[in-house]
Amino acid sequence: ILKIQGDREPARQQPPVWRILYFDPKASQNVRALVVGQSGIISRSEGFVEWKKLRLFPYKSEEIVPYNQLRVDSSQALEALRADPSLNGVTITSASFELEKGKGATPPIWRMGVYAQKGTEEVYLGEASVSAETGSVFEKKLEMGRLKE
């Protein structure tokens, strides 16, 4: 696996559709992509398939997320964030997710775009990162002031 991405859908704990990039040296640009929903595979492609970015160079095997370091799934990453003491009293309603290989010796990480309840609406708080190996929250760029009336 090179990357997993799930876009947020309002008031849903998990995205209904996931995009998975995986390394395949026989594919164009060494990558294949799957889009998966609740009913199974929605689409398949290969080559320049990076989402929301332009990628000009083929993928390398060094970019593969080490399988033995994937111990925390997206649901567990969201629960780890919810358990963070700095978010006590905050109702996280939904999130976007992106799993990618960490830089250098950093383990794979779940990057999340976090939304929370403010009255009767959902507001974007910011981003948080959780280790896909340990479940530790190691970065939060959340604007808690957005929750104030």
Side-chain angles (χ1 to χ4, degrees), residues 7-120:
D7 290 335
R8 169 193 170 265
E9 189 163 303
R12 289 188 67 143
Q13 299 295 309
Q14 291 290 317
V17 176
W18 291 91
R19 294 172 191 89
I20 303 165
L21 292 181
Y22 65 96
F23 185 81
D24 182 347
K26 295 178 183 175
S28 174
Q29 303 299 314
N30 299 332
V31 65
R32 293 190 190 275
L34 295 176
V35 178
V36 181
Q38 293 176 336
S39 60
I41 296 173
I42 297 169
S43 68
R44 301 168 197 233
S45 57
E46 69 175 75
F48 292 110
V49 294
E50 186 77 30
W51 298 289
K52 299 181 184 179
K53 297 181 198 174
L54 176 62
R55 178 153 179 134
L56 300 175
F57 302 101
Y59 283 90
K60 300 174 189 162
S61 60
E62 297 83 35
E63 296 176 85
I64 296 171
V65 176
Y67 183 73
N68 64 338
Q69 292 180 331
L70 294 178
R71 297 187 181 112
V72 175
D73 66 22
S74 60
S75 296
Q76 293 166 319
L78 186 58
E79 286 308 312
L81 181 62
R82 282 190 173 119
D84 189 279
S86 69
L87 295 173
N88 191 23
V90 175
T91 302
I92 296 174
T93 54
S94 61
S96 60
F97 296 89
E98 187 169 322
L99 173 73
E100 59 186 23
K101 184 176 188 259
K103 303 219 187 284
T106 305
I109 51 176
W110 283 105
R111 294 190 194 282
M112 295 179 279
V114 181
Y115 291 76
Q117 189 78 37
K118 177 184 176 185
T120 59

